[in-house]
Amino acid sequence: MKDITDLRVIKTIENIKRGFEACILQKTFSSISVRDITAAARINRSTFYKYYEDKYQLRELLVKSTLGDLANNVNLASFNLENKQTNESLNALRKQLEFMYDHKDWYLILWNKNMELSIYEDMVRLFERRTRECLCENRKGTETGKEKELSEKQELLTRLFASSAMTTVKWWYEYSPHMIPADVANIIMDNIKFGMHRAFEI
């Protein structure tokens, strides 16, 4: 019985999320009411309030959950912007893009201006932080016990990579969703290694 209850709860929460999505695609968050969400989710208001205090908590938890999930799944352990193991780094980036593409539709909703939040910018900062952490872990020759830090140039490269990668992902989602993750990974890597003119053959 517990499993059935859990499945019902999961389904209800998913319905609320879908109702929220439908509303965000139609109007701004500030103009959305709980009644709008429950109507779109086809549930009653008491069911909504069983799980959320109000629409603000719903939005907060959805965003927090998404950012947490992304942070936990940014896996660039074998990624290194400076080494010559291009295939290994490219493969790590491809796998990362596959994960992100699986969440494309939801990310686009979160990036919608109707959300009235800067979630895309939050994701850029998150991706930058996780990339920095991965590169620090990959550094060789660091003395035992010494805090691993990036040089000034490595720090700049990390920021440029994260910004370029997320800009490319956004373009991919919005303008060229038919591209496969491997092709997008090549664009990102070529942009870092050779510059925009070479990467896009301008």
Side-chain angles (χ1 to χ4, degrees), residues 12 15-24 26-27 32-49 58:
T12 299
N15 285 343
I16 293 173
K17 178 181 176 181
R18 296 306 171 205
F20 179 79
E21 289 179 10
C23 292
I24 282 294
Q26 296 176 17
K27 51 186 177 180
I32 293 172
S33 66
V34 170
R35 185 182 299 276
D36 293 329
I37 298 171
T38 56
R42 297 184 178 181
I43 60 171
N44 55 49
R45 287 165 63 87
S46 62
T47 300
F48 177 90
Y49 288 117
L58 169 61

Short mmCIF file of all heavy atoms in Angstrom, two decimals, residues 12 15-24 26-27 32-49 58:
data_model
loop_
_atom_site.label_atom_id
_atom_site.label_comp_id
_atom_site.label_asym_id
_atom_site.label_seq_id
_atom_site.Cartn_x
_atom_site.Cartn_y
_atom_site.Cartn_z
N THR A 12 0.89 13.15 -8.45
CA THR A 12 0.25 14.43 -8.12
C THR A 12 1.23 15.59 -8.23
O THR A 12 0.93 16.63 -8.81
CB THR A 12 -0.34 14.39 -6.69
OG1 THR A 12 -1.33 13.36 -6.62
CG2 THR A 12 -0.98 15.72 -6.33
N ASN A 15 1.92 16.32 -11.76
CA ASN A 15 0.79 17.04 -12.36
C ASN A 15 0.84 18.53 -12.01
O ASN A 15 0.54 19.38 -12.85
CB ASN A 15 -0.54 16.45 -11.89
CG ASN A 15 -0.85 15.13 -12.57
OD1 ASN A 15 -0.27 14.79 -13.60
ND2 ASN A 15 -1.76 14.36 -11.99
N ILE A 16 1.21 18.83 -10.77
CA ILE A 16 1.33 20.22 -10.35
C ILE A 16 2.44 20.92 -11.14
O ILE A 16 2.28 22.05 -11.59
CB ILE A 16 1.60 20.31 -8.83
CG1 ILE A 16 0.39 19.81 -8.05
CG2 ILE A 16 1.95 21.74 -8.42
CD1 ILE A 16 0.61 19.70 -6.55
N LYS A 17 3.55 20.21 -11.31
CA LYS A 17 4.65 20.77 -12.10
C LYS A 17 4.20 21.04 -13.53
O LYS A 17 4.50 22.11 -14.09
CB LYS A 17 5.84 19.80 -12.10
CG LYS A 17 7.02 20.27 -12.93
CD LYS A 17 8.15 19.24 -12.91
CE LYS A 17 9.30 19.66 -13.82
NZ LYS A 17 10.41 18.67 -13.83
N ARG A 18 3.48 20.09 -14.14
CA ARG A 18 3.00 20.27 -15.51
C ARG A 18 2.01 21.42 -15.60
O ARG A 18 1.99 22.18 -16.58
CB ARG A 18 2.35 18.98 -16.01
CG ARG A 18 3.31 17.79 -16.13
CD ARG A 18 4.51 18.10 -16.97
NE ARG A 18 5.52 17.05 -16.91
CZ ARG A 18 6.81 17.23 -17.13
NH1 ARG A 18 7.27 18.43 -17.42
NH2 ARG A 18 7.66 16.22 -17.06
N GLY A 19 1.18 21.55 -14.57
CA GLY A 19 0.24 22.67 -14.54
C GLY A 19 0.97 24.00 -14.46
O GLY A 19 0.61 24.97 -15.13
N PHE A 20 2.03 24.02 -13.65
CA PHE A 20 2.85 25.22 -13.52
C PHE A 20 3.51 25.56 -14.86
O PHE A 20 3.54 26.72 -15.27
CB PHE A 20 3.91 24.99 -12.44
CG PHE A 20 4.84 26.15 -12.23
CD1 PHE A 20 4.45 27.25 -11.49
CD2 PHE A 20 6.12 26.15 -12.78
CE1 PHE A 20 5.30 28.33 -11.30
CE2 PHE A 20 6.98 27.21 -12.58
CZ PHE A 20 6.57 28.30 -11.84
N GLU A 21 4.03 24.55 -15.53
CA GLU A 21 4.66 24.75 -16.85
C GLU A 21 3.67 25.39 -17.83
O GLU A 21 4.01 26.35 -18.52
CB GLU A 21 5.11 23.41 -17.43
CG GLU A 21 6.29 22.77 -16.76
CD GLU A 21 6.65 21.44 -17.39
OE1 GLU A 21 6.09 21.11 -18.46
OE2 GLU A 21 7.48 20.72 -16.83
N ALA A 22 2.47 24.83 -17.88
CA ALA A 22 1.47 25.34 -18.81
C ALA A 22 1.15 26.80 -18.54
O ALA A 22 0.98 27.60 -19.48
CB ALA A 22 0.20 24.49 -18.71
N CYS A 23 1.10 27.16 -17.26
CA CYS A 23 0.79 28.55 -16.90
C CYS A 23 1.92 29.50 -17.28
O CYS A 23 1.68 30.60 -17.80
CB CYS A 23 0.50 28.65 -15.40
SG CYS A 23 -1.04 27.83 -14.89
N ILE A 24 3.17 29.07 -17.00
CA ILE A 24 4.33 29.92 -17.30
C ILE A 24 4.45 30.19 -18.80
O ILE A 24 4.91 31.25 -19.22
CB ILE A 24 5.63 29.25 -16.77
CG1 ILE A 24 5.73 29.45 -15.26
CG2 ILE A 24 6.87 29.80 -17.47
CD1 ILE A 24 5.92 30.91 -14.83
N GLN A 26 2.09 30.75 -20.70
CA GLN A 26 1.01 31.64 -21.11
C GLN A 26 1.11 33.04 -20.52
O GLN A 26 0.74 34.01 -21.17
CB GLN A 26 -0.34 31.03 -20.72
CG GLN A 26 -0.64 29.72 -21.45
CD GLN A 26 -1.93 29.08 -20.98
OE1 GLN A 26 -2.76 29.72 -20.35
NE2 GLN A 26 -2.10 27.80 -21.27
N LYS A 27 1.61 33.14 -19.29
CA LYS A 27 1.69 34.48 -18.67
C LYS A 27 2.77 34.52 -17.60
O LYS A 27 3.34 33.49 -17.22
CB LYS A 27 0.34 34.88 -18.09
CG LYS A 27 -0.32 33.87 -17.18
CD LYS A 27 -1.72 34.36 -16.81
CE LYS A 27 -2.47 33.36 -15.95
NZ LYS A 27 -3.83 33.85 -15.61
N ILE A 32 0.12 34.77 -12.35
CA ILE A 32 -0.42 33.42 -12.20
C ILE A 32 -0.96 33.23 -10.78
O ILE A 32 -0.32 33.64 -9.81
CB ILE A 32 0.66 32.35 -12.48
CG1 ILE A 32 1.07 32.38 -13.94
CG2 ILE A 32 0.17 30.95 -12.10
CD1 ILE A 32 2.27 31.50 -14.25
N SER A 33 -2.11 32.63 -10.67
CA SER A 33 -2.69 32.33 -9.36
C SER A 33 -2.63 30.83 -9.10
O SER A 33 -2.44 30.03 -10.02
CB SER A 33 -4.15 32.79 -9.30
OG SER A 33 -4.94 32.02 -10.19
N VAL A 34 -2.79 30.46 -7.84
CA VAL A 34 -2.84 29.04 -7.49
C VAL A 34 -4.02 28.39 -8.20
O VAL A 34 -3.93 27.24 -8.64
CB VAL A 34 -2.95 28.86 -5.96
CG1 VAL A 34 -3.24 27.39 -5.61
CG2 VAL A 34 -1.68 29.32 -5.27
N ARG A 35 -5.09 29.14 -8.36
CA ARG A 35 -6.26 28.63 -9.08
C ARG A 35 -5.90 28.27 -10.52
O ARG A 35 -6.35 27.25 -11.05
CB ARG A 35 -7.40 29.66 -9.05
CG ARG A 35 -8.70 29.16 -9.68
CD ARG A 35 -9.76 30.25 -9.65
NE ARG A 35 -10.07 30.65 -8.30
CZ ARG A 35 -10.93 30.02 -7.50
NH1 ARG A 35 -11.54 28.91 -7.94
NH2 ARG A 35 -11.18 30.45 -6.29
N ASP A 36 -5.07 29.11 -11.15
CA ASP A 36 -4.62 28.83 -12.52
C ASP A 36 -3.84 27.51 -12.57
O ASP A 36 -4.05 26.69 -13.46
CB ASP A 36 -3.72 29.95 -13.04
CG ASP A 36 -4.47 31.26 -13.24
OD1 ASP A 36 -5.66 31.22 -13.55
OD2 ASP A 36 -3.84 32.32 -13.08
N ILE A 37 -2.94 27.35 -11.61
CA ILE A 37 -2.09 26.16 -11.57
C ILE A 37 -2.94 24.90 -11.33
O ILE A 37 -2.76 23.89 -12.01
CB ILE A 37 -1.01 26.29 -10.48
CG1 ILE A 37 -0.09 27.47 -10.80
CG2 ILE A 37 -0.19 25.00 -10.38
CD1 ILE A 37 0.89 27.82 -9.69
N THR A 38 -3.84 24.98 -10.37
CA THR A 38 -4.66 23.81 -10.05
C THR A 38 -5.60 23.46 -11.20
O THR A 38 -5.87 22.28 -11.46
CB THR A 38 -5.46 24.02 -8.76
OG1 THR A 38 -6.27 25.20 -8.88
CG2 THR A 38 -4.53 24.16 -7.57
N ALA A 39 -6.09 24.48 -11.89
CA ALA A 39 -6.97 24.21 -13.04
C ALA A 39 -6.19 23.50 -14.14
O ALA A 39 -6.67 22.54 -14.75
CB ALA A 39 -7.57 25.52 -13.55
N ALA A 40 -4.95 23.98 -14.40
CA ALA A 40 -4.12 23.38 -15.43
C ALA A 40 -3.69 21.97 -15.03
O ALA A 40 -3.54 21.09 -15.88
CB ALA A 40 -2.89 24.25 -15.69
N ALA A 41 -3.49 21.76 -13.72
CA ALA A 41 -3.06 20.45 -13.22
C ALA A 41 -4.24 19.50 -13.00
O ALA A 41 -4.05 18.32 -12.73
CB ALA A 41 -2.30 20.61 -11.91
N ARG A 42 -5.45 20.06 -13.08
CA ARG A 42 -6.68 19.28 -12.86
C ARG A 42 -6.73 18.65 -11.48
O ARG A 42 -7.00 17.46 -11.31
CB ARG A 42 -6.84 18.21 -13.95
CG ARG A 42 -7.00 18.81 -15.34
CD ARG A 42 -7.25 17.75 -16.37
NE ARG A 42 -7.44 18.35 -17.69
CZ ARG A 42 -7.72 17.67 -18.80
NH1 ARG A 42 -7.82 16.35 -18.75
NH2 ARG A 42 -7.87 18.29 -19.95
N ILE A 43 -6.41 19.49 -10.50
CA ILE A 43 -6.51 19.07 -9.10
C ILE A 43 -7.25 20.17 -8.35
O ILE A 43 -7.42 21.29 -8.87
CB ILE A 43 -5.12 18.85 -8.46
CG1 ILE A 43 -4.31 20.15 -8.52
CG2 ILE A 43 -4.37 17.72 -9.13
CD1 ILE A 43 -3.02 20.11 -7.73
N ASN A 44 -7.68 19.89 -7.12
CA ASN A 44 -8.33 20.93 -6.34
C ASN A 44 -7.29 21.68 -5.51
O ASN A 44 -6.17 21.22 -5.32
CB ASN A 44 -9.45 20.35 -5.45
CG ASN A 44 -8.94 19.23 -4.55
OD1 ASN A 44 -7.93 19.40 -3.88
ND2 ASN A 44 -9.64 18.11 -4.53
N ARG A 45 -7.70 22.82 -4.99
CA ARG A 45 -6.78 23.69 -4.27
C ARG A 45 -6.25 23.02 -2.99
O ARG A 45 -5.09 23.21 -2.62
CB ARG A 45 -7.46 25.02 -3.94
CG ARG A 45 -7.64 25.92 -5.15
CD ARG A 45 -8.63 27.03 -4.87
NE ARG A 45 -8.17 27.92 -3.81
CZ ARG A 45 -7.40 28.97 -3.99
NH1 ARG A 45 -6.97 29.26 -5.22
NH2 ARG A 45 -7.06 29.75 -2.99
N SER A 46 -7.08 22.25 -2.34
CA SER A 46 -6.65 21.59 -1.10
C SER A 46 -5.51 20.61 -1.37
O SER A 46 -4.60 20.45 -0.55
CB SER A 46 -7.83 20.87 -0.44
OG SER A 46 -8.34 19.84 -1.28
N THR A 47 -5.54 19.98 -2.54
CA THR A 47 -4.45 19.07 -2.91
C THR A 47 -3.16 19.85 -3.11
O THR A 47 -2.09 19.42 -2.67
CB THR A 47 -4.81 18.30 -4.19
OG1 THR A 47 -5.99 17.54 -3.97
CG2 THR A 47 -3.67 17.37 -4.60
N PHE A 48 -3.25 20.99 -3.77
CA PHE A 48 -2.06 21.83 -3.97
C PHE A 48 -1.46 22.22 -2.63
O PHE A 48 -0.24 22.07 -2.41
CB PHE A 48 -2.43 23.09 -4.75
CG PHE A 48 -1.28 24.05 -4.94
CD1 PHE A 48 -0.44 23.95 -6.04
CD2 PHE A 48 -1.02 25.04 -4.00
CE1 PHE A 48 0.62 24.83 -6.21
CE2 PHE A 48 0.04 25.92 -4.16
CZ PHE A 48 0.87 25.81 -5.26
N TYR A 49 -2.30 22.71 -1.71
CA TYR A 49 -1.80 23.19 -0.43
C TYR A 49 -1.33 22.07 0.49
O TYR A 49 -0.67 22.32 1.50
CB TYR A 49 -2.87 24.04 0.27
CG TYR A 49 -3.07 25.39 -0.39
CD1 TYR A 49 -4.28 25.73 -0.97
CD2 TYR A 49 -2.02 26.31 -0.44
CE1 TYR A 49 -4.46 26.97 -1.59
CE2 TYR A 49 -2.18 27.54 -1.04
CZ TYR A 49 -3.40 27.87 -1.62
OH TYR A 49 -3.55 29.09 -2.23
N LEU A 58 6.37 26.79 -4.51
CA LEU A 58 6.40 25.85 -5.63
C LEU A 58 7.52 26.21 -6.59
O LEU A 58 8.34 25.36 -6.96
CB LEU A 58 5.06 25.86 -6.37
CG LEU A 58 5.02 25.12 -7.72
CD1 LEU A 58 5.33 23.64 -7.54
CD2 LEU A 58 3.65 25.31 -8.39
#
